[in-house]
């Protein structure tokens, strides 16, 4: 099985956000994800990178621009 | 191995765009992809959906808005 794990990425740090992700859909300024087990999450941010071989989705929040 | 295959998605149609994708990175208004074999592509568009279990990346071009 090739499900992916989603992590919140900040600098060098990666915190697990959702395991066993099957569906990933960027929408409405965020990222909808659904796991193998039917768990659904909506992340307010964007996909930074997906590393398929490492089975990682790296997510980052959308920061307001510096004013 | 859990590499993904990228398809151009239009309606019901899916055309293979790049096989064995390892790295996917949304950037500069498009999607950068790199395959297991080091092949690099930059797609002018966006990720519509990723289906990990089916090992599919569905891409769609960015259409100019109707004027």
């Amino acid at each position: 099985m090739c499900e992916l794990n989603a992590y919140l990425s900040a600098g060098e740090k990666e915190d697990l956000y959702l395991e066993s992700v099957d569906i990933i859909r960027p929408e409405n300024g965020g990222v909808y994800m659904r796991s193998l087990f039917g768990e659904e999450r909506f992340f307010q941010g964007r996909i930074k990178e997906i590393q398929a071989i490492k089975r990682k989705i790296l997510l980052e929040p959308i920061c307001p621009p510096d004013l």
Side-chain angles (χ1 to χ4, degrees), chain A residues 2 9-10 14 18 28-29 37-38 40-41 43-46 54-55 59 61-62:
Chain A
C2 287
S9 167
E14 293 176 2
L18 183 62
N28 302 326
F37 313 108
E40 296 179 299
R41 299 285 292 272
F43 177 71
Q44 291 279 3
R46 62 180 215 97
K54 293 187 177 168
R55 297 172 46 187
L59 300 168
I62 295 170

Side-chain angles (χ1 to χ4, degrees), chain A residues 9-44:
Chain A
S9 167
E12 303 287 297
K13 213 153 150 280
E14 293 176 2
D15 291 316
L16 186 63
Y17 177 80
L18 183 62
E19 281 184 296
S20 302
V21 177
D22 178 18
I23 302 295
I24 303 114
R25 196 160 58 220
E27 61 183 21
N28 302 326
V31 184
Y32 165 85
M33 281 165 279
R34 193 176 73 222
S35 81
L36 263 188
F37 313 108
E39 192 179 350
E40 296 179 299
R41 299 285 292 272
F42 182 78
F43 177 71
Q44 291 279 3

